[in-house]
Each structure stands twice: as C-alpha cells, then as structure tokens.
Amino acid sequence: GSLFRIASLSKPLTAVAVLRLAEDGKLSLASRALDVLEESTLSGPAGPANGTLAALPAPADPRFRDITILHLLQHTAGFDRDRSFDPMFRSVDIARALAVEPPVRPEHVIRYMLGQPLDFAPGERHAYSNFGYCLLGRVIEKVSGKDYERHVREEILAPLGIRRVRIGRSLKEGRAPGEVAYHAKGDATGPAVVGAVGSPVPWQYGGWCLESMDAHGGWVASAVDLARFAAALDGSARSMILSPRSLEVLFARPAGRAGHEENGSPSPAF
C-alpha cells in the first residue's frame, strides 16, 4: 500500500522501543531523563550540518532534573504547549537564538528548552507533548548506541516483517518509494525552514522539518503495516514485541492527579 506521513502515530513506535530497552535491562523507566542524556554527547538523525552539542547546559528550571522516562512516556513531564509553545514547530526561532543554521536538530531543541521554565511540576498533571517524545528519541539513541530510526527499524519493525516504514523527508523530492504526494488546502504556503529558509514554499514541503520530528511525528507508513504493528500489541500470545508487564505500562493511566480527578475517579482525558 501507499506510504503516508503518520504524524503522531509515530509516538507508539517510540514508546514501544523505550519499553523494549527497559525489558532488556538497558534502561529504567524511573531513571531521570537528563541523567541518561548527560552521560555522553548527544547525536541525532537530522544530519551533520549544525554539528553536535558537546554538552548540555544546566537547566534553567531545576525541576527539569526530576523528569523521568515514565513522565515522558505518559506526557506528564511538565511541558504544556497550550500554556507556552511547541518548540518542534519553532525551528527558525530556535536557530536564531542558538546562532545556528536552520533547520535545527533535536539536540538544538533540547538545548533551547533547557533554558525555558517548565509549565508544571513533573508528574503533577497530563499535557500532550511532542517535545517529550523528542527527548525519548535521544534517550533511545543514547542507550542503544544507534541512530533512532535504525534502532526502531531493526529492533521493533523488522521482527514483525515491516520493512518499508521509515522517517519521512521534508521536501517533495525526498519522498520514499510509494509515498503519496500532499496538497495543502487552497495551496497554502509558509516560510521555509528547510532549503531556501524564509522563502514561501508549499506548507507541506518545507514549512516544517519532518526529519527533526522523528520520534514524535516523523514516520511514514502504510495502513497495512500500521495494522500489523497494532496487532502485535493486542495482548494475546501472538504479541512479539512486548511482555505482558510492558503492555500494562503502555496502556496504563498515569498515577495521581495526572490521570485522575480530585475525588479519585478516572480522568475523562483517557
């Protein structure tokens, strides 16, 4: 079947990869994310143009150090784009702030966000976060020692016989074999963040950097392959990806106020 950009359906791929690393004893969900990331220089899949960051700066908000891997998985880490902003769509602004050429890589986004305040204390409540899954992508790279895309394709998708699913490309000429073409309503354009930065381009081809959104929204896949992936998470004996315990974590409601009302009843957000 045709390949499509799957946007945030990319997040389950990242979540499953993290849980598999935890099963293999390479990662604890209770680990603090910065402790994991600070163990070595970050590297990422978005290309070498801007170089890698030699070290992470100290977070401006000390609560950043309280963020665990589980917080990131469950969208309870303290990032709320409705209260502040979504950094994954601010490539040019972040590049300007860091004095690098756009599009920024995930490592640059992380460095920038370490200078921003959290929107709430980690674990306090739930707020959907693209940036949280950007962090998880870098955790996967650090722990596995491999590029994020390569790790997910080799360790999660290949055992299921899924071989065409991959990270998409921002520009039309970078489309994967069998990938559809996209059309914006009314032929809308926006300022390019990839290629001729600042020039008007079709919004869907250069208005954002898909490669830098890898772990939260960068994959392309067919409907058939997504169904095959989902079937491996149905909790039956056929599951070839995660243990029953990991499947419980995957579908669990966050503890405390993040997943419940003040009276203890389940939050309708889940």
Side-chain angles (χ1 to χ4, degrees):
S2 297
L3 299 178
F4 296 83
R5 292 175 177 178
I6 63 171
S8 286
L9 291 181
S10 302
K11 290 182 177 67
L13 296 174
T14 299
V16 168
V18 169
L19 291 171
R20 272 289 298 275
L21 288 169
E23 282 186 15
D24 293 341
K26 297 179 179 179
L27 180 69
S28 168
L29 301 186
S31 293
R32 299 193 301 179
L34 279 187
D35 289 347
V36 176
L37 295 178
E38 286 178 333
E39 290 181 16
S40 71
T41 300
L42 289 165
S43 62
N50 294 324
T52 57
L53 298 177
L56 291 175
D61 189 330
R63 298 177 298 176
F64 209 116
R65 292 199 174 277
D66 297 328
I67 297 171
T68 67
I69 304 301
L70 186 60
H71 286 143
L72 295 174
L73 285 169
Q74 294 186 329
H75 298 273
T76 60
F79 313 114
D80 187 345
R81 59 188 181 179
D82 291 332
R83 284 194 175 183
S84 53
F85 58 93
D86 189 336
M88 307 313 299
F89 290 90
R90 290 201 173 184
S91 185
V92 173
D93 292 341
I94 293 174
R96 186 179 300 116
L98 298 182
V100 298
E101 291 295 322
V104 293
R105 298 169 62 184
E107 292 81 1
H108 295 121
V109 179
I110 293 170
R111 180 176 179 179
Y112 178 81
M113 289 300 288
L114 283 167
Q116 309 302 312
L118 295 184
D119 297 302
F120 57 91
E124 178 181 280
R125 60 185 180 84
H126 171 274
Y128 189 83
S129 175
N130 286 321
F131 175 63
Y133 270 68
C134 171
L135 284 168
L136 287 175
R138 311 310 42 99
V139 166
I140 290 169
E141 290 182 329
K142 171 62 185 69
V143 174
S144 71
K146 293 190 292 186
D147 171 269
Y148 163 78
E149 179 183 13
R150 178 186 169 194
H151 177 79
V152 174
R153 294 187 72 182
E154 291 179 353
E155 302 299 327
I156 304 302
L157 300 175
L160 299 176
I162 300 174
R163 304 194 181 278
R164 298 176 64 218
V165 176
R166 65 194 63 202
I167 299 297
R169 297 293 177 260
S170 301
L171 302 180
K172 189 172 185 178
E173 54 267 31
R175 284 183 300 166
E179 183 178 355
V180 302
Y182 307 97
H183 303 275
K185 184 177 181 180
D187 295 323
T189 63
V193 304
V194 179
V197 175
S199 300
V201 294
W203 189 253
Q204 69 276 21
Y205 288 120
W208 64 85
C209 181
L210 198 63
E211 293 88 342
S212 294
M213 298 179 178
D214 56 0
H216 74 81
W219 290 85
V220 297
S222 71
V224 171
D225 282 336
L226 284 179
R228 185 178 290 119
F229 173 70
L233 300 172
D234 67 358
S236 73
R238 297 193 307 274
S239 178
M240 297 189 298
I241 303 181
L242 295 177
S243 69
R245 173 58 186 148
S246 291
L247 287 172
E248 289 179 11
V249 174
L250 184 67
F251 295 110
R253 177 185 299 275
R257 286 300 311 279
H260 300 79
E261 302 295 332
E262 288 187 13
N263 62 8
S265 63
S267 168
F270 296 94

mmCIF file of all heavy atoms in Angstrom, residues 159-160 227-242 247:
data_model
loop_
_atom_site.group_PDB
_atom_site.id
_atom_site.type_symbol
_atom_site.label_atom_id
_atom_site.label_comp_id
_atom_site.label_asym_id
_atom_site.label_seq_id
_atom_site.Cartn_x
_atom_site.Cartn_y
_atom_site.Cartn_z
ATOM 1 N N PRO A 159 11.397 -7.442 13.111
ATOM 2 C CA PRO A 159 10.878 -8.725 13.603
ATOM 3 C C PRO A 159 9.418 -8.976 13.240
ATOM 4 O O PRO A 159 8.969 -10.128 13.253
ATOM 5 C CB PRO A 159 11.054 -8.612 15.129
ATOM 6 C CG PRO A 159 12.181 -7.648 15.306
ATOM 7 C CD PRO A 159 11.986 -6.644 14.207
ATOM 8 N N LEU A 160 8.688 -7.914 12.919
ATOM 9 C CA LEU A 160 7.291 -8.048 12.516
ATOM 10 C C LEU A 160 7.147 -8.143 11.000
ATOM 11 O O LEU A 160 6.035 -8.192 10.478
ATOM 12 C CB LEU A 160 6.480 -6.859 13.025
ATOM 13 C CG LEU A 160 6.430 -6.666 14.540
ATOM 14 C CD1 LEU A 160 5.681 -5.392 14.888
ATOM 15 C CD2 LEU A 160 5.793 -7.865 15.215
ATOM 16 N N ALA A 227 -1.411 -1.601 10.820
ATOM 17 C CA ALA A 227 -2.289 -2.639 11.369
ATOM 18 C C ALA A 227 -1.456 -3.810 11.888
ATOM 19 O O ALA A 227 -1.764 -4.388 12.947
ATOM 20 C CB ALA A 227 -3.271 -3.117 10.304
ATOM 21 N N ARG A 228 -0.403 -4.162 11.165
ATOM 22 C CA ARG A 228 0.465 -5.254 11.615
ATOM 23 C C ARG A 228 1.142 -4.898 12.937
ATOM 24 O O ARG A 228 1.254 -5.723 13.841
ATOM 25 C CB ARG A 228 1.507 -5.549 10.530
ATOM 26 C CG ARG A 228 2.385 -6.746 10.825
ATOM 27 C CD ARG A 228 3.362 -7.032 9.703
ATOM 28 N NE ARG A 228 2.676 -7.539 8.523
ATOM 29 C CZ ARG A 228 2.672 -6.953 7.330
ATOM 30 N NH1 ARG A 228 3.328 -5.817 7.167
ATOM 31 N NH2 ARG A 228 2.041 -7.483 6.313
ATOM 32 N N PHE A 229 1.589 -3.660 13.055
ATOM 33 C CA PHE A 229 2.210 -3.204 14.296
ATOM 34 C C PHE A 229 1.206 -3.224 15.447
ATOM 35 O O PHE A 229 1.489 -3.715 16.540
ATOM 36 C CB PHE A 229 2.769 -1.790 14.101
ATOM 37 C CG PHE A 229 3.293 -1.145 15.342
ATOM 38 C CD1 PHE A 229 4.463 -1.594 15.938
ATOM 39 C CD2 PHE A 229 2.625 -0.069 15.917
ATOM 40 C CE1 PHE A 229 4.953 -0.993 17.092
ATOM 41 C CE2 PHE A 229 3.107 0.540 17.061
ATOM 42 C CZ PHE A 229 4.281 0.081 17.654
ATOM 43 N N ALA A 230 0.003 -2.703 15.200
ATOM 44 C CA ALA A 230 -1.015 -2.669 16.247
ATOM 45 C C ALA A 230 -1.412 -4.069 16.696
ATOM 46 O O ALA A 230 -1.651 -4.315 17.893
ATOM 47 C CB ALA A 230 -2.243 -1.905 15.753
ATOM 48 N N ALA A 231 -1.478 -5.014 15.752
ATOM 49 C CA ALA A 231 -1.862 -6.378 16.092
ATOM 50 C C ALA A 231 -0.857 -7.031 17.027
ATOM 51 O O ALA A 231 -1.211 -7.931 17.798
ATOM 52 C CB ALA A 231 -2.014 -7.215 14.824
ATOM 53 N N ALA A 232 0.396 -6.569 16.970
ATOM 54 C CA ALA A 232 1.418 -7.122 17.851
ATOM 55 C C ALA A 232 1.338 -6.557 19.262
ATOM 56 O O ALA A 232 2.121 -6.939 20.132
ATOM 57 C CB ALA A 232 2.800 -6.857 17.269
ATOM 58 N N LEU A 233 0.375 -5.659 19.496
ATOM 59 C CA LEU A 233 0.203 -5.065 20.817
ATOM 60 C C LEU A 233 -1.164 -5.377 21.405
ATOM 61 O O LEU A 233 -1.617 -4.705 22.320
ATOM 62 C CB LEU A 233 0.359 -3.534 20.716
ATOM 63 C CG LEU A 233 1.704 -3.026 20.205
ATOM 64 C CD1 LEU A 233 1.631 -1.522 19.979
ATOM 65 C CD2 LEU A 233 2.821 -3.367 21.169
ATOM 66 N N ASP A 234 -1.808 -6.446 20.896
ATOM 67 C CA ASP A 234 -3.185 -6.719 21.330
ATOM 68 C C ASP A 234 -3.252 -7.522 22.615
ATOM 69 O O ASP A 234 -4.343 -7.841 23.090
ATOM 70 C CB ASP A 234 -3.967 -7.415 20.213
ATOM 71 C CG ASP A 234 -3.456 -8.827 19.918
ATOM 72 O OD1 ASP A 234 -2.476 -9.262 20.548
ATOM 73 O OD2 ASP A 234 -4.044 -9.480 19.040
ATOM 74 N N GLY A 235 -2.093 -7.849 23.196
ATOM 75 C CA GLY A 235 -2.085 -8.543 24.472
ATOM 76 C C GLY A 235 -2.253 -10.038 24.389
ATOM 77 O O GLY A 235 -2.245 -10.727 25.411
ATOM 78 N N SER A 236 -2.379 -10.571 23.202
ATOM 79 C CA SER A 236 -2.543 -12.022 23.058
ATOM 80 C C SER A 236 -1.180 -12.698 23.005
ATOM 81 O O SER A 236 -0.133 -12.055 23.019
ATOM 82 C CB SER A 236 -3.317 -12.334 21.771
ATOM 83 O OG SER A 236 -2.492 -12.102 20.642
ATOM 84 N N ALA A 237 -1.200 -13.998 22.931
ATOM 85 C CA ALA A 237 0.032 -14.765 22.850
ATOM 86 C C ALA A 237 0.790 -14.467 21.569
ATOM 87 O O ALA A 237 1.964 -14.810 21.432
ATOM 88 C CB ALA A 237 -0.274 -16.253 22.941
ATOM 89 N N ARG A 238 0.118 -13.815 20.613
ATOM 90 C CA ARG A 238 0.777 -13.516 19.352
ATOM 91 C C ARG A 238 1.723 -12.327 19.462
ATOM 92 O O ARG A 238 2.491 -12.071 18.554
ATOM 93 C CB ARG A 238 -0.262 -13.204 18.268
ATOM 94 C CG ARG A 238 -1.191 -14.350 17.938
ATOM 95 C CD ARG A 238 -1.960 -14.056 16.657
ATOM 96 N NE ARG A 238 -2.635 -12.765 16.709
ATOM 97 C CZ ARG A 238 -3.843 -12.581 17.238
ATOM 98 N NH1 ARG A 238 -4.492 -13.605 17.771
ATOM 99 N NH2 ARG A 238 -4.413 -11.396 17.229
ATOM 100 N N SER A 239 1.635 -11.582 20.559
ATOM 101 C CA SER A 239 2.458 -10.391 20.695
ATOM 102 C C SER A 239 3.930 -10.759 20.646
ATOM 103 O O SER A 239 4.408 -11.572 21.431
ATOM 104 C CB SER A 239 2.150 -9.655 21.999
ATOM 105 O OG SER A 239 2.987 -8.530 22.137
ATOM 106 N N MET A 240 4.647 -10.151 19.712
ATOM 107 C CA MET A 240 6.059 -10.465 19.556
ATOM 108 C C MET A 240 6.947 -9.284 19.949
ATOM 109 O O MET A 240 8.147 -9.328 19.749
ATOM 110 C CB MET A 240 6.354 -10.837 18.099
ATOM 111 C CG MET A 240 5.640 -12.073 17.618
ATOM 112 S SD MET A 240 6.241 -12.600 15.999
ATOM 113 C CE MET A 240 5.823 -11.169 14.995
ATOM 114 N N ILE A 241 6.359 -8.245 20.503
ATOM 115 C CA ILE A 241 7.146 -7.048 20.778
ATOM 116 C C ILE A 241 7.396 -6.853 22.261
ATOM 117 O O ILE A 241 8.524 -6.678 22.686
ATOM 118 C CB ILE A 241 6.451 -5.793 20.214
ATOM 119 C CG1 ILE A 241 6.211 -5.941 18.718
ATOM 120 C CG2 ILE A 241 7.305 -4.562 20.468
ATOM 121 C CD1 ILE A 241 5.553 -4.736 18.095
ATOM 122 N N LEU A 242 6.327 -6.897 23.062
ATOM 123 C CA LEU A 242 6.440 -6.558 24.474
ATOM 124 C C LEU A 242 5.896 -7.663 25.367
ATOM 125 O O LEU A 242 4.988 -8.405 24.985
ATOM 126 C CB LEU A 242 5.675 -5.262 24.769
ATOM 127 C CG LEU A 242 6.190 -3.985 24.107
ATOM 128 C CD1 LEU A 242 5.276 -2.817 24.446
ATOM 129 C CD2 LEU A 242 7.618 -3.673 24.529
ATOM 130 N N LEU A 247 3.172 -4.278 28.284
ATOM 131 C CA LEU A 247 1.902 -3.880 27.682
ATOM 132 C C LEU A 247 1.019 -3.172 28.700
ATOM 133 O O LEU A 247 0.310 -2.212 28.370
ATOM 134 C CB LEU A 247 1.179 -5.096 27.113
ATOM 135 C CG LEU A 247 1.762 -5.685 25.828
ATOM 136 C CD1 LEU A 247 1.067 -7.004 25.492
ATOM 137 C CD2 LEU A 247 1.636 -4.701 24.666
#
